Amino acid sequence: MPSRSFELPGAPIDNIEVSGGAVLVAGGSCLYELGPELRPQRRVVPAAGQGCGEPPGTRSNLLLHYQEAGGVGILLTGWTQDGGACQVWEQPSYRQRLNQSEVVSCLPDGSTAGVVFQQAGAWYLAVAATYSTSADTNHLHCEPSKSDKETVITVRSMVNLKSMEELGIIKRREEPLHFVDALQWGNHLFFPYYTLKAKLGNNTEPPSMAVLQLLLPSSGGLTLQGHVYLDCGCRSLIISSSLVRQGERGWWVGVFRHSHNAKAWNSTAVCIFGMDEMKDKACTSPHFNMNGKTCEAPSIKKLPTLIHSGLVAVYGTVVLNRIVLFLGTDDGQLLKAILNEDMKSSCPEVLYEIEEETSIFPKLRLDPKNNNYIYLPSANKDDCNATASKGITTVQKTEHISIQSIEPLWISTLGKSEITVKGENFTRASGIKLILTGITGCKPDVIKVRNVLNDTQMTFALPPTRKEAKSICIQANGKKCSPPMTLHYVSLPSCSRITPNTSWISGGRKITTTGRNFNVVDSVIISDDQRSNLTVSRCPGNASEYHYLTPSLSHATEGKVVDMMLKVDTTFIPCVKLHYHPDPVFINYQLHTELDPDLELKIYKENDNLNISKTEVEVYLSYMTGAQTKRIWFSVQNITKKPDRSTILCKFKREGTDKIDFSTVKVFVKLGNFEHEVKPTSSHIYLYVLILLPIVVGVIIAAFIVTRYKSKELTRKQSQQLELLEYEIRKEIREGFAELQMDELDVVDSFGTVPFLDYKHFALRTFFPESGGFASIFSEEMPQSRDQTSKDESFNMLHALICNKNFLVTLIHTLEKQKNFSVKDRCLFASFLTIALQTKLVYLTHILEVLTRDLMEQSSNVQPKLLLRRTESVVEKLLTNWMSVCLSGFLRETIGEPFYLLVTTLNQRINKGPVDAITCKALYTLNEDWLLWQVSEFKTVTVNIIFEKIPENESGDACQTIPVNVLDCDTIGQAKEKSLQAFFNKNGFLYGLQLDEIGLELVSEEHQRELLDIDGSSEVMEDGIRKLNTIGHYEISNGATIKVFKKKANTRSDVDYSDEHCHLILPDSEANKDVKGAGHKGKQKFKVKEMYLTKLLSTKVAIHSVVEKLFRSIWSLPNNKAPVAIKYFFDFLDAQAESKKITDPDVVHIWKTNSLPLRFWVNILKNPQFVFDIKKTSHIDGCLSVIAQAFMDAFSLAEQTLGKEAPTNKLLYAKDIPLYKKEVKAYYKAIRDLPPLTTAEVEEFLAQESKKHENEFNEKVALFEIYKYIVKYYDEIVSKLERERGFEEVQKQLQQVKALFDEKKKCKWH
């Protein structure tokens, strides 16, 4: 039976209820709403803050759910705090409608039972509770008023939850009562209860059922009809209750228990009573104050339907007109019993066992939506039920034999090879049998005597069985069985902790192992790999603790680990591991006699891993008195541990006048089996100390003086460095904050015509992203051969062959099974196939469908969520190509402009700040890896750039002067780029010369000077590295004039940058030089990358609107219409999921995400050069990767759990992702809700796309590439066709194609 679990944090479970599709669990001061799979959906009470165990002693004692008119769900919760408060909540919002105190019991052990009912259109709560007891409860501050002290049952309106006389108030007499449940049957209410005296074991009075009649408030409200005693085999307590409705009949099922604590085979029982019978027999009750006819205390006696040793919960239901009971036990079992028409039980089936064997909570609930599941709350196990003994003595005498004892009476579920029965006259009896009877309905075991040892002892072998307590009796001579005893079958013992977990090699250390069911252990075994198993103890101890002494392992080494095992009958059960360490080492001792008559002894010991306590150490002193040896045993006071050694402090108080000859003293330490004589401290050490002390003091004084001087110098330098550090951090934080609040990016709204690539180049770049050489091949014509007819015929036949759907699918599957048909081959084959069938998109789409279904068949049995996630098959690459073909128009018409705007804006933002010309790192970026954090201060310089008339630019004027903003840290090459961009922004067309064809010349009154990145004035750093010249290097100021000129042919002043050049990122030796400036002369410039992370955020803010515009243009539906390709393929995936009976919506969501965003949009977002005629820099690539990651996170179903150490590319869009996810889900839903496309609509769209792209490619090149793969694997393909039926004609066509291509190949050599 599959199971799931939920553990209430910090408190035990007090209550459980089901509400619609949710499970409500309460305990302590908490209320949780769980999903059907027990996943927490919300914490209702308290909303946040305190834990479930706060304040201590708080319990939930009422949890009810009902539905008002209109389907509004109402939840009642009752708590022991606030005088027994009750709240009313509206579901599913959990808005609190009402909070009323003094409704339920506020006593921690007080009972509360309630039922909600409707009468005359109004809702009422009938609640029975133990508001007061005879015990003193003033310290709990919940004692009711004197007038309410005897109140036990009230009816309250759900409007205000206040008790009113006209609704009904029932009061008890002297004896406090404990209520178990509240039930409604027709117009009567039933409250099962028992007296508190019975719970304490002071009363044998049977439990009762109070019966109340519902009347209108005008007629007196709730009226007590009376009570009836419920006799279930003289059991005086009710533990759990359940109402079973069987047509028009109702049955009440109760679990009854004896009041004594001793656990026996018949301690609990299930009895079933008819609701109508209890209603009819109810009469005046001695427990309540009531008026009515007096009558004898009525009693209904029922034989137990089922007897068990430890039932604690019951839930009854009807299945196929049979009553089915689900029963919980105090050792964690869930049982299922089916009753026949006579209410007799079958042998219960064990459905589930809690591994920790904790007791089941008395309240069980079925899943309201799926009755195959039952919710099984578990409470803490009552320790008193674990008490055990090896045997119980009793005497049963018959004519011939008497039974005195049976040992043991606690065994494991494995059975027992031998139990001993003691008594008299065994040798005179015949036909001796042992009868073992378990739970009602199960067949008893009849076991013949194994061996009669003598007249007073005999043995039996008990079989294995499930966990339960059984009755055991002895039968002889065909006579009546002896009085039954209780035999406990318990689960195998298990260990939870060992204290201590170490021992010294000599052994003898006392070990305590805690766990459960140790009373069935025969012995403790220690298993050592170098010796056979050692039995260290045969005394089982009690059920939860096992004590034994460790054996000696003289051969053990440091850290030796041995296994401790429990022997149960013939089975060995692993328990815990024990670590052996060397015996402790005692260094010496000091004996202080000046405290005469007291003696103080200090023993010094090396530190070790044994964690010896003072109770384990025995210390004694021996000395000589004449010829006699005497001993003094010391009291160990404490053991203190220091870094270098441990000290054991011992004391002894002398009595009498005995004199100790200290010259004969010997000190011994004993730990278990280890005993050692400790040597005294040597007196020579004091002489060494006196000699070395002056020397050490002198060295210390000298070291102190030197250290103090150096410390002052270091403090002064550190103070200067911290001053600079503080200044730099303060400045950078302020500038970063100001930039985030004030900085704006002037986005170019009009950037002229978007430079789209034509369809052919767009397709080739998406089909062959890593094989640029195919772009030119597919644009060329095939070389003409001498036999043009033969050539055309070969290609025509090959084309006809791949247009055979069965052949093409078989061909692809055969190729994919070849080991050397790599992933690259699969992608190339898919792209060649797309080009070859460019004009037959309808057919290509059918192939895509077939291959996708085949791929699903391969993936469905393993991981359906991984479908289409990677590109490891032909169909996955084919899907990418198909999306590119079908969405090219949508990409150009809808997505192109916002995408180009994003690339342009991103370039503009990057160039607004410093960019290192060598590494391309920039101050303004989205990617931390491309962040230029080593930047120095910079400023903007506005220069006038003169563009002269050149022949290459026929559209330009004679001469133009354009103001251009550059940075003083820009290189000359960067200044040229910005100048050409400024010319394009102003005129809308290019200047006409490439970047390396122009030069810059500084124009001044004195002279003209050519500006170069590297010239004779360039600064040379250490190690010969040359720094590129910048605008600041030439001391160019605002308003300066610079002329653009065309370089002479065959001259080049620019250089190819290498490791021998630098720009803004300086070599380490240069970066650490002193900063030159008035404010910081002689101080080092401090730089930390994290100080500049705000630049990532400012860049994100600057382009955020552009990014969102692009995202929403992708996942929006213009005119409420989706692109045909997307709608078609998403509907195809929905249909496949339905046909495969995949009900998890997450699987379909992931399929759609893998097929469209992951396979197509991310590829486009990261590669703008696929769409536009632009050059993508490495820096732009890094920024677009961050945006693409955010785009994919929006489609992910996984919840992001980001911490402070998360990567910045994740943190940058962390707050936006939840909103994007909602929009994506709405996008998927909107597509699904659109009317489905007809086959004609899809084929018309595909036919139009095919017609658009006629004659775009040289399809014969693609066919020839496909033929190469066919030839390479020709034998495998033919072999596959031969094994399949219906391919005879296809084989002939394939042979003809091969013959034609072979002939053409021969012609090339002639």
Side-chain angles (χ1 to χ4, degrees):
M1 179 178 180
S3 66
R4 296 176 287 271
S5 64
F6 165 78
E7 184 174 349
L8 193 69
I13 293 176
D14 295 325
N15 236 317
I16 183 172
E17 192 56 77
V18 292
S19 166
V23 185
L24 302 166
V25 176
S29 58
C30 286
L31 173 63
Y32 277 84
E33 181 187 83
L34 313 178
E37 296 185 351
L38 298 187
R39 292 177 182 166
Q41 294 179 341
R42 69 186 300 169
R43 173 168 155 166
V44 182
V45 178
Q50 68 183 44
C52 295
E54 302 172 9
T58 303
R59 288 183 56 247
S60 164
N61 52 18
L62 187 67
L63 194 61
L64 299 174
H65 171 265
Y66 71 96
Q67 264 193 341
E68 291 183 341
V72 178
I74 302 298
L75 179 68
L76 274 76
T77 58
W79 311 87
T80 57
Q81 59 189 5
D82 299 331
C86 187
Q87 293 101 31
V88 180
W89 306 82
E90 292 181 3
Q91 291 180 300
S93 62
Y94 289 98
R95 183 182 72 85
Q96 190 177 108
R97 180 187 288 181
L98 182 63
N99 186 2
Q100 179 65 40
S101 61
E102 296 185 2
V103 177
V104 300
S105 174
C106 60
L107 300 173
D109 296 325
S111 65
T112 300
V115 61
V116 179
F117 61 92
Q118 188 178 22
Q119 192 152 4
W123 287 93
Y124 299 92
L125 168 67
V127 60
T130 308
Y131 294 107
S132 67
T133 63
S134 56
D136 181 15
T137 56
N138 290 328
H139 65 286
L140 299 173
H141 307 292
C142 71
E143 192 69 21
S145 61
K146 189 172 182 181
S147 60
D148 292 334
K149 194 169 185 179
E150 284 79 30
T151 298
V152 287
I153 303 176
T154 58
V155 175
R156 303 163 185 258
S157 170
M158 288 302 301
V159 176
N160 54 24
L161 288 181
K162 293 184 178 178
S163 62
M164 302 173 66
E165 288 286 349
E166 57 267 26
L167 295 179
I169 297 178
I170 310 298
K171 297 192 176 184
R172 64 172 171 83
R173 293 184 181 174
E174 295 182 1
E175 184 62 36
L177 307 175
H178 186 96
F179 294 91
V180 179
D181 203 353
L183 313 161
Q184 182 183 8
W185 178 253
N187 61 346
H188 285 75
L189 299 182
F190 297 78
F191 295 90
Y193 70 94
Y194 55 85
T195 63
L196 284 187
K197 281 186 178 180
K199 186 176 183 180
L200 299 173
N202 300 330
N203 194 356
T204 58
E205 181 181 5
S208 304
M209 180 72 77
V211 182
L212 294 88
Q213 186 173 5
L214 296 174
L215 299 174
L216 294 174
S218 58
S219 304
L222 189 70
T223 300
L224 177 63
Q225 181 175 324
H227 97 297
V228 60
Y229 285 120
L230 305 176
D231 188 345
C232 183
C234 300
R235 294 170 178 84
S236 53
L237 303 179
I238 300 176
I239 305 302
S240 182
S241 162
S242 179
L243 175 61
V244 180
R245 302 177 189 271
Q246 190 177 27
E248 296 181 356
R249 303 181 67 184
W251 305 96
W252 178 77
V253 184
V255 173
F256 293 75
R257 194 186 79 190
H258 288 298
S259 58
H260 56 76
N261 286 331
K263 185 174 181 179
W265 64 274
N266 60 349
S267 293
T268 62
V270 173
C271 285
I272 301 178
F273 298 82
M275 299 298 288
D276 291 331
E277 183 183 9
M278 290 189 292
K279 178 188 69 175
D280 295 339
K281 287 194 175 184
C283 193
T284 304
S285 172
H287 301 136
F288 302 99
N289 291 326
M290 60 178 293
N291 296 320
K293 65 175 183 176
T294 59
C295 61
E296 270 189 45
S299 176
I300 303 176
K301 186 172 183 177
K302 296 288 183 182
L303 291 175
T305 298
L306 191 145
I307 297 176
H308 190 275
S309 60
L311 296 178
V312 291
V314 64
Y315 181 88
T317 185
V318 176
V319 178
L320 300 176
N321 207 31
R322 290 287 184 91
I323 295 178
V324 178
L325 301 182
F326 295 96
L327 303 161
T329 69
D330 59 1
D331 55 4
Q333 287 186 322
L334 176 65
L335 310 178
K336 174 185 173 184
I338 302 174
L339 309 186
N340 61 16
E341 295 176 355
D342 299 326
M343 296 296 176
K344 300 294 183 182
S345 171
S346 63
C347 183
E349 172 190 359
V350 179
L351 295 181
Y352 183 73
E353 292 191 57
I354 298 175
E355 185 178 353
E356 295 81 8
E357 298 191 352
T358 51
S359 177
I360 305 299
F361 188 70
K363 199 172 179 181
L364 303 177
R365 287 293 181 266
L366 281 180
D367 189 314
K369 291 191 174 182
N370 186 353
N371 288 342
N372 290 324
Y373 288 93
I374 187 167
Y375 295 110
L376 189 69
S378 170
N380 291 330
K381 189 170 182 179
D382 188 357
D383 288 337
C384 67
N385 288 333
T387 305
S389 64
K390 280 294 253 185
I392 298 176
T393 300
T394 184
V395 177
Q396 183 264 338
K397 294 187 178 180
T398 65
E399 289 183 32
H400 301 289
I401 69 171
S402 65
I403 306 299
Q404 296 175 348
S405 66
I406 301 176
E407 295 181 359
L409 286 175
W410 289 77
I411 65 175
S412 76
T413 53
L414 298 175
K416 190 75 174 173
S417 59
E418 185 177 284
I419 67 166
T420 302
V421 179
K422 295 182 179 180
E424 296 177 0
N425 303 325
F426 292 159
T427 56
R428 304 176 193 174
S430 63
I432 301 176
K433 299 175 184 176
L434 181 148
I435 300 176
L436 200 60
T437 307
I439 190 169
T440 307
C442 298
K443 184 179 179 181
D445 292 308
V446 179
I447 303 164
K448 293 183 179 180
V449 66
R450 181 182 179 186
N451 190 11
V452 178
L453 302 177
N454 49 47
D455 200 43
T456 60
Q457 290 190 25
M458 58 182 172
T459 61
F460 292 85
L462 297 185
T465 186
R466 69 187 184 189
K467 182 173 60 179
E468 63 177 303
K470 297 193 176 195
S471 70
I472 181 172
C473 67
I474 307 295
Q475 187 183 49
N477 302 322
K479 302 292 184 179
K480 187 178 178 181
C481 208
S482 64
M485 301 180 187
T486 301
L487 177 72
H488 299 269
Y489 273 96
V490 297
S491 59
L492 292 176
S494 63
C495 305
S496 58
R497 190 163 60 95
I498 178 173
T499 308
N501 65 348
T502 59
S503 174
W504 43 87
I505 289 174
S506 296
R509 190 172 199 180
K510 183 179 180 181
I511 302 294
T512 300
T513 303
T514 55
R516 64 170 182 260
N517 299 333
F518 287 161
N519 49 350
V520 302
V521 173
D522 295 317
S523 59
V524 174
I525 304 294
I526 282 185
S527 176
D528 177 22
D529 55 4
Q530 297 182 24
R531 298 171 62 178
S532 58
N533 293 341
L534 294 173
T535 301
V536 296
S537 173
R538 294 190 181 276
C539 177
N542 59 33
S544 59
E545 280 192 353
Y546 212 131
H547 305 282
Y548 57 92
L549 299 177
T550 60
S552 171
L553 292 182
S554 57
H555 62 281
T557 56
E558 170 68 30
K560 173 75 173 179
V561 180
V562 296
D563 294 313
M564 173 191 156
M565 296 186 295
L566 306 177
K567 186 175 183 291
V568 180
D569 210 38
T570 59
T571 302
F572 294 89
I573 301 169
C575 181
V576 290
K577 293 187 180 296
L578 185 66
H579 299 258
Y580 269 89
H581 295 285
D583 291 332
V585 176
F586 297 95
I587 306 169
N588 49 42
Y589 72 85
Q590 288 182 357
L591 182 62
H592 298 277
T593 60
E594 62 271 15
L595 301 174
D596 192 45
D598 295 342
L599 294 179
E600 182 179 275
L601 177 65
K602 289 183 180 180
I603 300 175
Y604 299 104
K605 172 179 121 12
E606 288 186 3
N607 291 332
D608 50 41
N609 297 317
L610 291 169
N611 295 322
I612 297 171
S613 66
K614 68 177 185 178
T615 57
E616 295 180 290
V617 182
E618 295 179 83
V619 177
Y620 67 90
L621 177 151
S622 70
Y623 63 95
M624 300 296 294
T625 301
Q628 291 185 342
T629 301
K630 291 190 175 183
R631 289 184 178 182
I632 294 175
W633 292 88
F634 282 81
S635 170
V636 179
Q637 302 297 308
N638 57 57
I639 301 177
T640 57
K641 189 173 183 178
K642 294 182 180 180
D644 57 338
R645 63 183 181 180
S646 299
T647 304
I648 303 174
L649 176 62
C650 311
K651 288 187 177 180
F652 172 73
K653 190 174 183 66
R654 281 192 288 176
E655 296 178 358
T657 59
D658 285 349
K659 295 292 183 179
I660 298 176
D661 184 359
F662 290 103
S663 63
T664 63
V665 163
K666 292 182 180 181
V667 174
F668 294 87
V669 178
K670 190 174 186 299
L671 290 97
N673 300 337
F674 173 70
E675 188 169 355
H676 177 73
E677 180 186 352
V678 186
K679 300 299 181 182
T681 304
S682 174
S683 59
H684 297 293
I685 191 170
Y686 298 109
L687 179 61
Y688 298 148
V689 170
L690 291 175
I691 296 173
L692 293 175
L693 186 60
I695 300 173
V696 172
V697 170
V699 171
I700 291 174
I701 293 173
F704 175 77
I705 295 172
V706 173
T707 303
R708 186 173 179 82
Y709 172 76
K710 289 186 176 180
S711 177
K712 286 184 178 180
E713 282 294 307
L714 182 61
T715 302
R716 184 179 63 81
K717 290 182 180 180
Q718 287 180 339
S719 177
Q720 292 178 345
Q721 291 176 344
L722 287 174
E723 181 185 346
L724 176 60
L725 169 62
E726 181 184 354
Y727 170 79
E728 290 294 333
I729 292 177
R730 204 165 48 232
K731 175 186 172 187
E732 292 299 338
I733 291 175
R734 179 172 291 277
E735 287 180 354
F737 175 77
E739 186 176 36
L740 281 173
Q741 302 302 320
M742 302 171 61
D743 190 27
E744 294 182 1
L745 181 66
D746 299 327
V747 178
V748 179
D749 294 327
S750 176
F751 40 71
T753 305
V754 178
F756 285 110
L757 289 172
D758 59 18
Y759 172 78
K760 177 190 290 185
H761 288 88
F762 161 73
L764 289 175
R765 292 188 184 187
T766 52
F767 293 175
F768 308 103
E770 298 177 359
S771 306
F774 285 105
S776 58
I777 294 175
F778 281 105
S779 302
E780 297 174 355
E781 290 293 331
M782 288 287 288
Q784 297 294 321
S785 70
R786 291 176 295 177
D787 189 357
Q788 185 66 34
T789 305
S790 174
K791 177 180 177 181
D792 291 341
E793 184 182 0
S794 62
F795 282 108
N796 290 339
M797 287 193 69
L798 179 58
H799 189 270
L801 198 58
I802 66 171
C803 286
N804 183 320
K805 183 168 73 174
N806 292 335
F807 169 75
L808 183 55
V809 171
T810 304
L811 170 65
I812 292 172
H813 287 331
T814 304
L815 292 177
E816 288 183 326
K817 289 180 180 178
Q818 309 310 312
K819 291 183 179 179
N820 56 347
F821 189 65
S822 64
V823 171
K824 181 180 180 182
D825 290 330
R826 294 162 199 248
C827 294
L828 289 174
F829 185 88
S831 297
F832 296 145
L833 189 62
T834 308
I835 293 174
L837 298 176
Q838 186 78 192
T839 57
K840 293 185 178 293
L841 286 180
V842 175
Y843 171 66
L844 182 64
T845 306
H846 289 322
I847 296 298
L848 179 64
E849 287 182 4
V850 174
L851 293 176
T852 305
R853 287 194 197 97
D854 292 345
L855 186 64
M856 287 178 177
E857 291 300 325
Q858 298 172 17
S859 306
S860 59
N861 295 328
V862 186
Q863 280 289 344
K865 293 184 180 181
L866 297 180
L867 182 74
L868 303 175
R869 188 171 184 173
R870 305 183 181 92
T871 305
E872 296 178 348
S873 63
V874 172
V875 66
E876 288 168 314
K877 178 59 176 174
L878 195 62
L879 175 59
T880 303
N881 296 348
W882 184 84
M883 285 288 184
S884 301
V885 172
C886 295
L887 294 179
S888 59
F890 177 72
L891 178 62
R892 193 179 186 98
E893 295 164 10
T894 307
I895 311 301
E897 187 171 324
F899 187 26
Y900 186 68
L901 178 62
L902 171 63
V903 177
T904 306
T905 306
L906 201 51
N907 261 319
Q908 183 179 345
R909 181 65 183 180
I910 291 171
N911 291 324
K912 184 177 180 180
V915 179
D916 185 72
I918 305 296
T919 63
C920 296
K921 291 186 177 183
L923 181 63
Y924 296 108
T925 181
L926 286 177
N927 195 317
E928 184 181 352
D929 295 336
W930 290 91
L931 176 63
L932 179 65
W933 56 273
Q934 301 93 334
V935 67
S936 301
E937 294 182 2
F938 65 93
K939 63 181 180 179
T940 303
V941 178
T942 303
V943 295
N944 297 314
I945 303 294
I946 300 173
F947 290 89
E948 293 184 339
K949 171 69 177 179
I950 56 174
E952 289 83 356
N953 189 353
E954 298 177 356
S955 304
D957 297 331
C959 184
Q960 289 190 57
T961 300
I962 300 175
V964 178
N965 289 331
V966 296
L967 302 178
D968 63 346
C969 59
D970 283 345
T971 64
I972 305 306
Q974 291 173 336
K976 288 195 290 184
E977 289 180 7
K978 292 183 178 181
S979 301
L980 292 178
Q981 186 64 41
F983 183 92
F984 176 75
N985 290 342
K986 180 179 179 182
N987 298 293
F989 54 85
L990 298 173
Y991 180 54
L993 294 177
Q994 298 297 322
L995 188 66
D996 58 355
E997 294 177 331
I998 66 170
L1000 296 182
E1001 190 174 64
L1002 180 63
V1003 179
S1004 63
E1005 295 179 357
E1006 295 83 7
H1007 62 280
Q1008 295 183 351
R1009 181 179 181 182
E1010 183 179 359
L1011 304 178
L1012 299 170
D1013 281 337
I1014 295 292
D1015 61 12
S1017 67
S1018 298
E1019 183 179 355
V1020 180
M1021 305 278 182
E1022 291 183 7
D1023 302 327
I1025 297 175
R1026 304 181 75 184
K1027 186 177 180 182
L1028 302 183
N1029 297 336
T1030 61
I1031 298 293
H1033 170 78
Y1034 286 107
E1035 298 181 351
I1036 298 173
S1037 58
N1038 278 316
T1041 301
I1042 297 176
K1043 184 175 69 174
V1044 176
F1045 67 91
K1046 182 179 180 181
K1047 293 182 181 179
K1048 295 179 180 180
N1050 301 323
T1051 63
R1052 181 183 179 90
S1053 57
D1054 296 304
V1055 297
D1056 293 327
Y1057 305 137
S1058 65
D1059 293 339
E1060 296 180 357
H1061 301 88
C1062 69
H1063 177 205
L1064 297 176
I1065 301 177
L1066 305 179
D1068 292 340
S1069 58
E1070 294 290 334
N1072 292 328
K1073 280 190 175 180
D1074 288 350
V1075 176
K1076 297 178 182 178
H1080 304 287
K1081 190 171 183 179
K1083 301 175 185 176
Q1084 288 188 349
K1085 184 81 169 177
F1086 184 81
K1087 293 290 178 183
V1088 176
K1089 182 179 183 180
E1090 284 69 18
M1091 292 167 55
Y1092 293 90
L1093 291 181
T1094 54
K1095 303 300 181 184
L1096 305 178
L1097 184 58
S1098 67
T1099 305
K1100 184 244 182 179
V1101 170
I1103 67 168
H1104 190 58
S1105 62
V1106 183
V1107 172
E1108 288 202 333
K1109 181 180 179 182
L1110 172 61
F1111 283 4
R1112 285 172 180 144
S1113 65
I1114 291 175
W1115 60 56
S1116 62
L1117 298 180
N1119 302 321
N1120 199 29
K1121 189 175 181 182
V1124 174
I1126 296 175
K1127 173 62 177 170
Y1128 155 75
F1129 199 75
F1130 278 16
D1131 285 355
F1132 170 74
L1133 293 176
D1134 287 332
Q1136 294 307 305
E1138 186 176 351
S1139 68
K1140 294 182 178 299
K1141 295 182 172 54
I1142 295 176
T1143 57
D1144 186 358
D1146 291 356
V1147 173
V1148 183
H1149 181 100
I1150 292 170
W1151 284 0
K1152 294 175 180 179
T1153 299
N1154 291 346
S1155 61
L1156 180 63
L1158 182 63
R1159 306 208 68 76
F1160 179 70
W1161 285 125
V1162 167
N1163 197 29
I1164 295 299
L1165 291 179
K1166 293 177 70 174
N1167 297 284
Q1169 78 279 10
F1170 286 5
V1171 185
F1172 311 115
D1173 187 13
I1174 60 175
K1175 182 181 179 182
K1176 181 183 72 171
T1177 64
S1178 300
H1179 193 151
I1180 287 289
D1181 180 66
C1183 294
L1184 290 177
S1185 294
V1186 175
I1187 295 172
Q1189 180 64 57
F1191 179 80
M1192 279 312 301
D1193 287 344
F1195 287 85
S1196 172
L1197 291 173
E1199 292 296 328
Q1200 292 197 84
T1201 53
L1202 301 177
K1204 295 180 181 179
E1205 300 300 323
T1208 52
N1209 64 328
K1210 286 279 189 180
L1211 293 172
L1212 211 53
Y1213 283 91
K1215 288 188 176 180
D1216 306 298
I1217 296 302
L1219 174 62
Y1220 293 162
K1221 285 188 174 186
K1222 291 181 181 178
E1223 294 179 3
V1224 165
K1225 289 181 179 178
Y1227 169 64
Y1228 278 0
K1229 184 178 183 301
I1231 293 176
R1232 188 174 63 251
D1233 293 343
L1234 289 175
L1237 297 171
T1238 64
T1239 305
E1241 288 175 327
V1242 176
E1243 290 185 353
E1244 182 184 357
F1245 165 76
L1246 295 172
Q1248 290 175 357
E1249 290 297 315
S1250 296
K1251 192 171 183 181
K1252 282 182 189 177
H1253 309 312
E1254 285 182 352
N1255 302 320
E1256 287 279 4
F1257 302 100
N1258 190 337
E1259 295 179 2
K1260 293 180 180 178
V1261 177
L1263 287 170
F1264 188 69
E1265 294 295 332
I1266 292 172
Y1267 175 73
K1268 288 181 181 178
Y1269 284 109
I1270 293 175
V1271 171
K1272 185 175 181 181
Y1273 302 103
Y1274 183 78
D1275 293 339
E1276 290 82 356
I1277 295 168
V1278 170
S1279 176
K1280 178 66 175 175
L1281 294 176
E1282 289 174 349
R1283 292 196 302 271
E1284 299 290 334
R1285 292 182 180 180
F1287 284 106
E1288 293 79 6
E1289 188 62 33
V1290 171
Q1291 291 183 53
K1292 294 178 181 179
Q1293 294 175 13
L1294 182 59
Q1295 290 171 0
Q1296 292 174 7
V1297 169
K1298 186 174 185 300
L1300 288 172
F1301 274 97
D1302 288 346
E1303 182 63 29
K1304 184 170 59 177
K1305 187 176 180 181
K1306 291 178 182 178
C1307 294
K1308 289 183 179 180
W1309 293 99
H1310 290 87

